[in-house]
């Protein structure tokens, strides 16, 4: 298998792992890590599709570079939100659907 | 490149890809949050290797610095904050440095 | 722990696994059946001499797709503003003050990181490098300083720090608007493209490093009336 195919399929597997973890895990921090894993999987798949013949196509590289920075920015903000959720509700998990958030500000 | 060399590289690629997948699974499945974050950072470093194998040196630099390093630092700081006391109103003005 | 409120229902896990596996398989199949093509590589290579830089990725980032990069730097600034608005506490300090090894390490590493960042910034024009890699190094230096001293960048006034954080977006936007003589955003004049790109990258490096370091720290610089 060419390196492209190996890493591209690995990227697809990462997307699957991340999606499963995002849905199933309860803790917010684990959900954020799962989102990052999905992101990394997407980056791998994108770049693995880039060098089709000879030298690589620079456009997916630039897009993934942008993607890495945006992913870290979003992660930073998401982590801040998770900490504030913990401050407001006592645990870093999303409340079950249908329940009111007990003790949160503004309730 | 001779056949033995490309076979070796193929094996290395397979090992790196397997490591990335295993670390990703570990990062999302570990009971201990801190261990999960450490595995995530390791996954980022292996991804930097993958970028090198995919002829993307800019991505390797950026992944090692931002994707593994800085995202890892942010996650570790968050694990620390979550383990500490809650500040329901945000930091008070008297706690400013 | 992954399930602080009890076991996630087996049905949910099964459905999630099925969905994830289906999505992963679909993407892998799409990748395997992609027809070979050289993509945009040749189109980019044809325009490199006119772009002002010699490295194709930098040319795409700062010239051909410069608008995306402008938005990206703005997103980073936005994340910083949003995180500051949440008023987090700083990462809690350990029981011991930073040890001697860490302090000496910081004393050695921070100047080295700054020099390396400047080098990578300059290198981005003709080799792998550029604003984001250099900014990452500066952010690393900022994180080290935060661990040792509590703040990434010395006793500067908060207004100066905010100005520096916004500098990347400000310079990028200013250049984008000022070269709009031909009617289109970010259309660099032919001879000066390289210089303008370097200017934008330099400002962005400082902003990216500062923003990432302050995102690590969590809280914003203290307003002046509380600094005594």
């Amino acid at each position: 298998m060419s390196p492209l195919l190996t890493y591209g399929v690995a990227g697809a597997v990462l997307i699957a792992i991340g999606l499963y973890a995002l849905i199933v895990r309860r803790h917010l921090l684990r959900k954020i890590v799962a989102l990052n894993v999905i992101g990394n999987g997407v980056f791998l798949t994108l770049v693995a599709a880039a060098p089709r013949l000879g030298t690589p196509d620079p456009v997916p590289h630039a897009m993934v570079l942008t993607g890495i920075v945006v992913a870290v920015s979003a992660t930073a903000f998401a982590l801040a939100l998770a900490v504030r959720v913990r401050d407001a509700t006592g645990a870093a998990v999303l409340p079950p659907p249908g329940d009111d958030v007990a003790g949160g500000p503004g309730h | 490149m001779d056949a033995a060399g490309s076979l070796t590289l193929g094996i290395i690629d397979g090992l790196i890809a397997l490591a990335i997948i295993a670390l990703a699974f570990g990062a999302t499945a570990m009971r201990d949050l801190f261990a999960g974050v450490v595995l995530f950072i390791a996954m980022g470093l292996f991804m930097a290797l993958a970028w090198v194998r995919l002829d993307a040196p800019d991505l390797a630099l950026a992944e090692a610095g931002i994707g593994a390093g800085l995202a890892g630092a942010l996650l570790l700081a968050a694990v620390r904050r979550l383990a500490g006391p809650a500040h329901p109103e945000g930091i008070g003005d008297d706690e400013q440095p | 722990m992954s399930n602080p409120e009890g076991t996630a229902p087996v049905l949910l896990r099964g459905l999630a696994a099925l969905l994830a596996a289906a999505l992963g398989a679909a993407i892998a199949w799409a990748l395997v059946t992609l027809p070979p093509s050289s993509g945009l590589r040749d189109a980019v290579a044809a325009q490199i001499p006119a772009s002002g830089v010699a490295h194709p990725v930098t040319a795409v980032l700062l010239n051909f797709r410069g608008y995306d990069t402008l938005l990206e730097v703005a997103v980073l600034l936005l994340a910083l503003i949003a995180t500051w608005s949440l008023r987090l506490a700083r990462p809690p300090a350990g029981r011991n003050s930073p040890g001697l090894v860490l302090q000496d390490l910081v004393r050695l590493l921070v100047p080295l990181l700054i020099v390396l960042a400047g080098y990578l910034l300059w290198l981005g024009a003709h080799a792998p490098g550029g604003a984001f890699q250099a900014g990452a190094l500066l952010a690393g230096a900022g994180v080290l300083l935060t661990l040792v001293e509590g703040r990434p960048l010395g006793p500067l006034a908060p207004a100066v720090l905010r100005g520096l954080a916004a500098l990347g977006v400000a310079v990028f936007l200013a250049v984008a608007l000022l070269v709009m003589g031909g009617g289109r955003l970010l259309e660099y004049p032919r001879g000066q493209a390289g210089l303008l790109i370097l200017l934008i990258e330099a400002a962005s490096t400082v902003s990216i490093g500062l923003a990432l370091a302050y995102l690590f720290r969590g809280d914003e610089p203290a307003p002046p009336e509380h600094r005594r």
Side-chain angles (χ1 to χ4, degrees):
Chain A
M1 268 210 296
S2 72
L4 326 172
L5 211 54
T6 317
Y7 292 117
V9 171
V13 173
L14 275 185
I15 296 176
I17 293 177
L19 186 60
Y20 176 76
L22 179 64
I23 297 176
V24 165
R25 306 293 174 206
R26 294 290 184 84
H27 197 276
L28 284 180
L29 211 68
R30 210 164 270 116
K31 283 192 197 272
I32 293 174
V33 169
L35 267 178
N36 275 59
V37 166
I38 296 179
N40 279 348
V42 169
F43 299 154
L44 268 179
T45 311
L46 265 180
V47 175
R52 310 300 299 170
L53 303 162
T55 55
D57 183 354
V59 176
H61 290 193
M63 284 163 46
V64 168
L65 196 52
T66 303
I68 293 178
V69 175
V70 170
V72 171
S73 310
T75 298
F77 183 51
L79 288 173
L81 281 176
V83 171
R84 294 303 282 140
V85 165
R86 196 285 308 257
D87 287 349
T89 67
V93 293
L94 297 176
D99 292 2
D100 266 333
V101 175
H107 282 263
Chain B
M1 167 145 328
D2 60 333
S6 62
L7 178 64
T8 313
L9 278 179
I11 295 180
I12 291 179
D13 285 336
L15 287 177
I16 294 178
L18 272 178
I20 293 176
I21 292 173
L23 287 170
F25 187 71
T28 56
M30 292 286 283
R31 299 239 162 263
D32 180 13
L33 275 182
F34 177 74
V37 169
V38 170
L39 289 182
F40 176 77
I41 298 177
M43 182 191 78
L45 292 180
F46 269 96
M47 285 202 53
L49 285 180
W51 296 139
V52 170
R53 282 294 300 142
L54 285 172
D55 282 324
D58 315 68
L59 291 179
L61 289 172
E63 180 76 42
I66 309 178
L70 220 87
L74 288 169
L75 283 167
L76 287 175
V79 170
R80 200 69 189 285
R81 285 197 183 100
L82 287 178
H87 294 266
E89 303 304 318
I91 45 176
D93 285 342
D94 51 316
E95 283 180 54
Q96 291 276 9
Chain C
M1 47 190 162
S2 65
N3 299 303
E5 296 181 351
T7 322
V10 178
L11 183 62
L12 179 66
R13 286 173 172 251
L15 282 179
L18 217 58
L19 175 65
L23 184 62
I27 292 176
W29 181 83
L31 186 70
V32 166
T33 59
L34 260 186
S37 113
S38 59
L40 287 170
R41 176 196 60 201
D42 300 323
V44 170
Q47 295 295 326
I48 286 272
S51 69
V53 294
H55 186 53
V57 175
T58 307
V60 173
L61 265 181
L62 266 297
N63 195 336
F64 306 141
R65 301 295 312 176
Y67 186 57
D68 298 338
T69 311
L70 168 60
L71 293 179
E72 164 195 5
V73 183
V75 162
L76 182 55
L77 182 62
L78 200 63
L80 183 65
I81 295 174
T83 304
W84 276 353
S85 75
L86 288 177
R87 310 202 72 210
L88 286 181
R90 273 173 46 195
R95 280 160 312 189
N96 314 315
S97 59
L100 213 53
V101 173
L102 183 59
Q103 288 181 339
D104 280 350
L105 198 66
V106 167
R107 220 170 273 145
L108 285 174
L109 276 183
V110 170
L112 190 62
L113 285 173
I114 296 177
V115 170
L116 274 177
Y119 173 64
L120 271 183
L121 172 65
W122 176 254
L123 200 61
H126 53 272
F132 299 104
Q133 291 81 352
L137 286 184
L138 284 184
V143 166
L144 281 175
L145 285 174
T146 305
L147 288 175
V148 168
E149 286 190 22
R151 58 188 164 198
L153 194 61
L156 291 180
V160 174
L161 285 166
R162 287 170 218 239
L164 284 177
L167 191 68
V169 179
V171 167
F172 211 143
L173 205 54
V175 171
L177 289 172
L178 286 176
V179 300
M180 222 170 104
R184 277 178 291 208
L185 207 64
L186 272 181
E187 197 166 0
Y188 307 126
R190 280 299 166 89
Q192 296 153 12
L195 196 59
L196 289 172
I197 287 179
L198 186 60
L199 181 65
I200 291 175
E201 286 207 285
S204 301
T205 302
V206 171
S207 285
I208 290 170
L210 203 66
L212 288 172
Y214 265 99
L215 279 174
F216 172 74
R217 182 173 183 247
D219 63 339
E220 52 185 311
E225 55 271 15
H226 295 282
R227 287 180 125 259
R228 292 295 158 243

